[in-house]
Amino acid sequence: MDIFLIRLLQFMLAIGLLVLLHEGGHFFFAKLFGIRVEKFYLFFDPSIWKWDGSLFKFKPKNSDTQYGVGWLPLGGYCKIAGMIDESFDTEQMKQPEQSWEFRSKPAWQRLLVMIGGVLVNFLLALFIYSMILFYWGDTYIPTKNMTLGMKFNTEAKQYGFKDGDILVGTEKGEFKDFSADMYRDLSEATRADIIRDGKAMSITLPGDINLLGMLKAEPSFVRPLIPAVVDSVMEDSPAAKIGLQKGDKIVGINGKPVDSYNEFTDQLGVLEDMMTDAKSQADSLKIRTVSIAYEREGLVKDSADASKAVTAMIVDTAAVTLTPELKLGFFVQTIAGLYKPVTKEYGFFESFPAGIAYGCNVLKGYVGDMKYVFTADGAKSIGGFGAIGSLFPPVWDWYLFWKMTAFLSIILAFMNILPIPALDGGHVLFLLYEMITRRKPSETFMIRAEYVGFGLLILLMVVANLNDILRWLGYM
């Protein structure tokens, strides 16, 4: 419950900040050009019976704008006079045009009002990334420094990779770290540079590997290889009951050898699949009861001289019942514990070009990945509020919070500039049409387009959140 609340608070804080600043972008340009803003709200305020839907509202003296917070946390809005928007205020549009209305202003001013929100979100993301680099620097582990190599799945091995290979780069250049960018480069590469058994070599790739398939595969296309060596044991856990100790190495489960912690977790995944078919508690208990083989360094009597002993690896096997979540109850070294991270620090002024480059790279990767949304697997991967909330860390970490907020700001900017009616990009599209043809689309057309766009957004929201529910229920 604590983890849920921490993630919820981070999600609400990030979304609230982004929505306020996005709508503030529209508000700034509207006020700059003398356009009246009737309402400025965080969250939506649909009325319920005799209640107007506002949790909080106020209107400063001599101001035309009512500020408030609505009860429905699905975004926010800035109601601009004389504009066809999600409020569908058609009665206002029937009145004579006023000088302080949106519709009476030149097209270039209306264009700036409409892109104001997207502009603020994009600039905000670049600013946050710059300040992250200034305050924390850029800390990462270069893939070439991962001397234990990587663990590859069956598909990757078909291309020529072998467990233990160290990924270095592609014809595009050297990998910076183990990240989504590395996956993208591999998916588009025709050559992968690796180190195998201490020797540099290259592997030929097709140049069109499905990125989504690489990321969703179980086990995934490539992972850093992690030794199955016990670093610590939880009290009263199954591991503690069989006497596992720090330094013990897991070498098998149910008679099947494992060469890494990656392979150990893969075998637990097999048991998890079997659990879904369990029809009774007895079946579940049978699946959870496993034999664990492990190595431990110990003293063994010398066969030639019984009074002496030598240090050797002793292999032992123990039967144990895993927890209902199929946990043994031990921890291994993390990647950060296995390798020394590299930190690049930035001065205040240095951080801005670096932050801009970082943000543009994030946007480029996100836009490039959009092509997968129009595939069957891509549609299933769309997530709603639950999926977005789960991206925040389970503990309050300001570094990860701001990094996630910047990422969401870029997503919000990109999604809003899409040429879909009811989004800022839809209005921008119609304004560009007007500026090119010197003809305004009719109000009837604009209202109908707004209804269509709003319907598409509602449908997308339903699909995204339905995917969350299906994933939570285990159907996806």
Side-chain angles (χ1 to χ4, degrees):
M1 188 63 180
D2 289 342
I3 291 176
F4 171 78
L5 289 175
I6 289 172
R7 281 180 165 153
L8 178 64
L9 286 172
Q10 291 180 89
F11 174 73
M12 295 296 290
L13 178 59
I15 292 298
L17 175 67
L18 296 180
V19 168
L20 277 176
L21 292 176
H22 176 91
E23 299 303 332
H26 296 306
F27 183 90
F28 171 79
F29 282 106
K31 288 293 187 179
L32 181 67
F33 299 130
I35 302 172
R36 183 174 296 176
V37 178
E38 298 175 347
K39 296 179 77 174
F40 186 91
Y41 264 64
L42 173 63
F43 306 148
F44 293 110
D45 60 334
S47 57
I48 301 177
W49 197 36
K50 295 183 180 181
W51 180 42
D52 68 358
S54 300
L55 296 176
F56 166 78
K57 63 180 180 180
F58 76 99
K59 189 173 184 179
K61 188 177 181 181
N62 300 323
S63 173
D64 298 313
T65 307
Q66 176 180 293
Y67 302 89
V69 178
W71 66 269
L72 188 60
L74 297 180
Y77 70 99
C78 179
K79 189 176 185 306
I80 297 173
M83 175 183 167
I84 298 171
D85 57 13
E86 62 272 12
S87 67
F88 299 109
D89 187 359
T90 56
E91 290 302 315
Q92 185 183 65
M93 304 304 291
K94 295 177 182 178
Q95 304 301 318
E97 188 175 296
Q98 303 295 324
S99 61
W100 36 261
E101 287 186 326
F102 177 82
R103 56 181 168 170
S104 70
K105 301 298 179 179
W108 68 270
Q109 292 186 4
R110 284 179 280 137
L111 181 64
L112 286 174
V113 172
M114 293 317 307
I115 66 173
V118 168
L119 182 63
V120 166
N121 278 134
F122 185 61
L123 293 178
L124 174 66
L126 300 182
F127 177 76
I128 293 175
Y129 281 132
S130 298
M131 291 300 96
I132 287 174
L133 293 176
F134 170 65
Y135 189 82
W136 284 285
D138 188 11
T139 300
Y140 59 96
I141 300 171
T143 59
K144 66 179 181 181
N145 291 358
M146 296 182 178
T147 53
L148 294 174
M150 283 77 188
K151 185 77 175 174
F152 298 87
N153 69 4
T154 303
E155 181 190 4
K157 289 176 181 177
Q158 290 173 350
Y159 292 119
F161 291 107
K162 290 184 178 181
D163 291 339
D165 287 349
I166 303 170
L167 290 173
V168 176
T170 67
E171 72 271 14
K172 293 184 175 182
E174 193 174 279
F175 295 135
K176 176 187 173 186
D177 56 3
F178 198 98
S179 63
D181 286 340
M182 184 201 74
Y183 269 92
R184 288 191 190 97
D185 285 351
L186 281 174
S187 71
E188 300 170 356
T190 57
R191 187 194 81 227
D193 300 325
I194 64 169
I195 297 174
R196 177 179 295 170
D197 299 326
K199 298 178 181 179
M201 60 179 296
S202 297
I203 291 174
T204 301
L205 296 178
D208 59 352
I209 303 175
N210 184 284
L211 175 61
L212 191 60
M214 293 172 71
L215 294 170
K216 293 188 69 176
E218 294 184 6
S220 58
F221 189 87
V222 57
R223 299 162 288 169
L225 193 151
I226 301 175
V229 177
V230 177
D231 186 59
S232 61
V233 178
M234 295 176 63
E235 291 184 9
D236 300 321
S237 66
K241 291 176 183 177
I242 63 173
L244 276 185
Q245 302 172 9
K246 180 181 176 67
D248 289 349
K249 181 180 180 182
I250 307 297
V251 295
I253 177 171
N254 285 342
K256 297 178 180 178
V258 295
D259 61 5
S260 61
Y261 184 67
N262 311 80
E263 191 129 335
F264 176 74
T265 56
D266 291 345
Q267 291 300 321
L268 292 183
V270 173
L271 296 180
E272 189 174 348
D273 291 339
M274 294 170 63
M275 287 284 283
T276 60
D277 297 326
K279 297 180 180 179
S280 66
Q281 189 173 356
D283 290 340
S284 173
L285 183 61
K286 184 177 180 181
I287 294 168
R288 291 194 292 117
T289 303
V290 300
S291 63
I292 300 294
Y294 60 93
E295 288 182 350
R296 175 180 298 167
E297 189 178 85
L299 295 176
V300 180
K301 288 186 177 181
D302 191 332
S303 58
D305 186 348
S307 64
K308 295 181 179 179
V310 295
T311 301
M313 296 304 296
I314 304 168
V315 178
D316 200 358
T317 302
V320 63
T321 301
L322 303 176
T323 67
E325 297 80 21
L326 298 178
K327 303 294 184 183
L328 186 54
F330 73 95
F331 299 99
V332 297
Q333 280 276 23
T334 63
I335 294 297
L338 290 170
Y339 307 108
K340 185 178 180 181
V342 173
T343 300
K344 184 175 181 180
E345 297 183 348
Y346 293 88
F348 182 74
F349 294 106
E350 290 177 310
S351 67
F352 287 99
I356 291 170
Y358 190 99
C360 289
N361 186 59
V362 170
L363 178 62
K364 178 183 175 183
Y366 183 76
V367 173
D369 295 345
M370 283 297 292
K371 61 185 177 184
Y372 294 104
V373 173
F374 303 102
T375 65
D377 285 339
K380 291 178 183 178
S381 68
I382 295 173
F385 298 116
I388 296 173
S390 68
L391 295 175
F392 286 94
V395 294
W396 200 284
D397 185 314
W398 283 111
Y399 170 77
L400 294 176
F401 169 80
W402 285 117
K403 199 168 184 179
M404 188 62 205
T405 301
F407 179 62
L408 290 178
S409 193
I410 278 187
I411 292 177
L412 189 60
F414 175 73
M415 295 300 292
N416 265 283
I417 204 62
L418 291 176
I420 299 173
L423 291 178
D424 296 342
H427 291 282
V428 168
L429 179 66
F430 296 138
L431 281 166
L432 291 175
Y433 167 82
E434 178 185 339
M435 293 172 74
I436 294 170
T437 65
R438 307 286 182 176
R439 293 172 54 194
K440 273 188 178 183
S442 69
E443 289 184 4
T444 301
F445 170 81
M446 292 291 289
I447 291 171
R448 289 175 178 173
E450 194 78 11
Y451 274 114
V452 170
F454 198 73
L456 288 173
L457 294 180
I458 293 296
L459 178 61
L460 179 61
M461 189 176 297
V462 169
V463 170
N465 287 284
L466 181 60
N467 283 350
D468 284 352
I469 295 171
L470 292 175
R471 275 190 286 267
W472 181 66
L473 293 174
Y475 291 107
M476 287 182 64

